[in-house]
């Protein structure tokens, strides 16, 4: 089976597993796991940030970042398709007691003007705006990326209005690879960044939240109360270190393969359109066939993807998807029968 449902489906490579077997570990809740500390410091320093916090998931790093940079009754600005809003179980309201201002960006990409227009005035009727959260790459926008100048301009708006600026960087290295920007440039503009290790980077588990010393100190207390303190987590952290060392540059391969899939889909008679492909996500809109019909035909031919909205399907390329598999998928897509309406 060729699994293109998500870049989370990857398994550790033999070399990664080897490093996991060798990891030096201790009890990280006692602050005694040297490998967890190495991962936290390494990730922070890549982004030019002071400190990092290793967490079990990207959802947890996002939720902690929101909790640490808001007070109950305040408001968070984000795109309406954001992971923090759509796919984190209502955690904004549940964990942080905040409201949310949903914007309609271009493929999920916000402009500085939209952000500024949606900051509430200082008036007791309105919730106080305190945090802006961007997603890069933008999952629901087909893996769309921000340009550095867009990020700079939004960061300026945040600075002017004393707002924190969080980055949901579940696929931040895909964005950096595609744009050629440096992680340190992102570190200058965001107050916190969630860096996912278990998506394109291919580690089995984990995300690191990076930010200032003070933010991460508060984040550590929140992680504890969320139940995210982990003991001999060095076995997992070392997989993240390995991924940062060896699995970043190769992301451009995933991007190339995604472009080939998109070109193939565009020519299929059961596809009306394909979102522009910038990274490793391909979203196609179907016609005369429902996503569930399409996906079951596809699965019958040994390929998995996911439904992504009413008429859309999503394919995500990743570390375990080879050129040989790409050729097979292209073949399957070309031969898929069009269902009668
Ligand atoms: C996957 C993802 C996350 C975090 O997901 P976890 O499964 O909790 O690690 C956050 N944001 C985006 C955009 C994602 O795609």
């Amino acid at each position: 089976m060729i699994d293109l449902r998500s870049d989370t489906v990857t398994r550790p490579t033999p070399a990664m597993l080897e490093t996991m077997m060798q990891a030096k570990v201790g009890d990280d809740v006692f602050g005694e796991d040297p490998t967890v500390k190495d991962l936290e410091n390494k990730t922070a320093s890549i982004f030019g940030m002071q400190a990092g916090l290793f967490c079990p998931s990207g959802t947890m790093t996002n939720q902690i970042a929101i909790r640490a940079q808001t007070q109950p009754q305040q408001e968070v600005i984000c795109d309406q398709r954001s992971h923090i809003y759509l796919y984190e179980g209502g955690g904004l309201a549940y964990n942080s007691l905040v409201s949310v201002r949903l914007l309609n960006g271009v493929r999920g990409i916000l402009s500085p003007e939209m952000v500024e227009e949606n900051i509430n005035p200082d008036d007791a009727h309105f919730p106080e705006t305190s945090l802006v959260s961007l997603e890069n790459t933008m999952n629901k926008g087909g893996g769309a990326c921000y340009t550095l100048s867009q990020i700079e301009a939004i960061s300026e708006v945040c600075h002017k209005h004393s707002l924190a600026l969080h980055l949901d960087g579940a696929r931040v290295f895909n964005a950096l690879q595609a744009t050629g920007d440096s992680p340190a440039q992102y570190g200058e503009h965001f107050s916190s960044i969630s860096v996912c290790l278990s998506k394109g980077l291919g580690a089995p588990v984990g995300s690191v939240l990076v930010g200032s010393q003070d933010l991460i100190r508060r984040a550590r207390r929140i992680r504890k109360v969320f139940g995210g303190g982990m003991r001999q987590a060095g076995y997992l952290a070392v997989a993240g270190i390995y991924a940062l060392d060896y699995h970043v540059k190769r992301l451009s391969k995933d991007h190339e393969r995604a472009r080939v899939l998109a070109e193939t889909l565009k020519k299929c008679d059961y596809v009306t359109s394909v979102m522009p492909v910038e990274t490793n996500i391909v979203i196609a809109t179907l016609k005369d066939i429902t996503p569930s019909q399409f996906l079951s035909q596809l699965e019958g031919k040994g390929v998995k993807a996911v439904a992504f909205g009413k008429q859309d399907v999503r394919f995500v390329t990743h570390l375990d998807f080879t050129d040989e598999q790409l050729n097979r998928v292209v073949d399957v897509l070309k031969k898929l029968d069009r269902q009668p309406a």
Side-chain angles (χ1 to χ4, degrees):
M1 188 62 72
I2 300 174
D3 195 344
L4 298 176
R5 287 173 302 166
S6 175
D7 43 7
T8 54
V9 300
T10 55
R11 310 284 167 86
T13 61
M16 183 184 277
L17 272 177
E18 191 58 39
T19 66
M20 293 171 73
M21 303 285 283
Q22 313 287 333
K24 288 204 190 75
V25 300
D27 188 326
D28 185 55
V29 179
F30 289 145
E32 290 172 4
D33 191 305
T35 310
V36 170
K37 284 185 187 154
D38 285 350
L39 171 67
E40 291 174 342
N41 292 335
K42 182 184 178 76
T43 314
S45 94
I46 287 172
F47 286 88
M49 295 285 214
Q50 289 174 348
L53 183 71
F54 185 43
C55 292
S57 70
T59 299
M60 191 182 282
T61 52
N62 284 337
Q63 291 298 315
I64 289 174
I66 294 161
R67 177 69 174 264
Q69 296 178 99
T70 57
Q71 293 297 327
Q73 245 187 312
Q74 291 182 332
E75 189 159 87
V76 173
I77 293 178
C78 67
D79 185 82
Q80 63 190 9
R81 311 162 192 78
S82 299
H83 195 281
I84 60 162
Y85 172 68
L86 281 183
Y87 298 128
E88 298 185 8
L92 278 163
Y94 188 76
N95 293 320
S96 298
L97 302 171
V98 291
S99 63
V100 59
R101 180 75 69 101
L102 298 175
L103 309 188
N104 188 10
V106 179
R107 294 200 293 137
I109 302 293
L110 305 182
S111 70
E113 294 78 19
M114 295 170 75
V115 171
E116 192 153 31
E117 278 164 17
N118 284 280
I119 297 170
N120 287 329
D122 184 10
D123 171 329
H125 289 87
F126 304 116
E128 186 186 353
T129 309
S130 63
L131 173 71
V132 176
S133 181
L134 308 183
E135 189 174 309
N136 198 20
T137 71
M138 182 68 203
N139 175 28
K140 273 258 166 180
C145 300
Y146 280 87
T147 65
L148 191 61
S149 62
Q150 287 171 316
I151 292 172
E152 271 166 7
I154 292 173
S155 145
E156 237 166 74
V157 169
C158 291
H159 208 252
K160 185 169 133 198
H161 296 270
S162 303
L163 309 179
L165 179 59
H166 174 66
L167 174 62
D168 177 354
R171 297 187 179 86
V172 64
F173 283 106
N174 295 87
L176 291 167
Q177 193 72 27
T179 58
D181 299 325
S182 78
Q185 288 172 309
Y186 281 21
E188 272 175 41
H189 295 299
F190 291 97
S191 51
S192 56
I193 305 179
S194 291
V195 182
C196 208
L197 303 165
S198 64
K199 292 253 159 91
L201 296 190
V205 171
S207 281
V208 181
L209 181 68
V210 296
S212 69
Q213 209 85 55
D214 176 58
L215 178 78
I216 298 303
R217 190 183 49 76
R218 285 182 286 129
R220 197 173 290 279
R221 300 187 76 92
I222 299 166
R223 185 186 67 175
K224 183 63 186 161
V225 81
F226 282 180
M230 297 182 285
R231 303 294 179 174
Q232 285 73 30
Y235 291 116
L236 298 172
V238 79
I241 293 172
Y242 183 92
L244 289 168
D245 285 340
Y246 298 104
H247 291 169
V248 172
K249 279 220 181 78
R250 61 153 306 284
L251 290 171
S252 56
K253 274 271 166 212
D254 296 344
H255 301 175
E256 277 168 37
R257 291 177 184 131
R259 280 195 289 274
V260 173
L261 285 181
E263 287 314 309
T264 307
L265 283 162
K266 274 182 205 165
K267 291 180 203 136
C268 293
D269 56 7
Y270 52 82
V271 170
T272 40
S273 62
V274 180
M275 275 196 198
V277 170
E278 296 179 37
T279 53
N280 68 330
I281 297 176
V282 183
I283 296 177
T285 305
L286 304 174
K287 67 173 178 219
D288 305 334
I289 185 168
T290 65
S292 73
Q293 287 171 326
F294 172 77
L295 292 171
S296 71
Q297 286 191 29
L298 201 62
E299 197 160 337
K301 303 249 173 0
V303 180
K304 280 188 182 180
V306 284
F308 219 55
K310 248 202 263 165
Q311 235 359 72
D312 295 350
V313 289
R314 187 189 74 169
F315 300 78
V316 187
T317 59
H318 53 70
L319 182 62
D320 291 353
F321 180 56
T322 63
D323 276 332
E324 190 221 328
Q325 292 180 329
L326 173 64
N327 293 337
R328 263 166 54 205
V329 176
V330 166
D331 217 44
V332 166
L333 290 172
K334 283 181 178 165
K335 285 183 188 151
L336 267 194
D337 300 324
R338 192 161 153 187
Q339 286 277 340

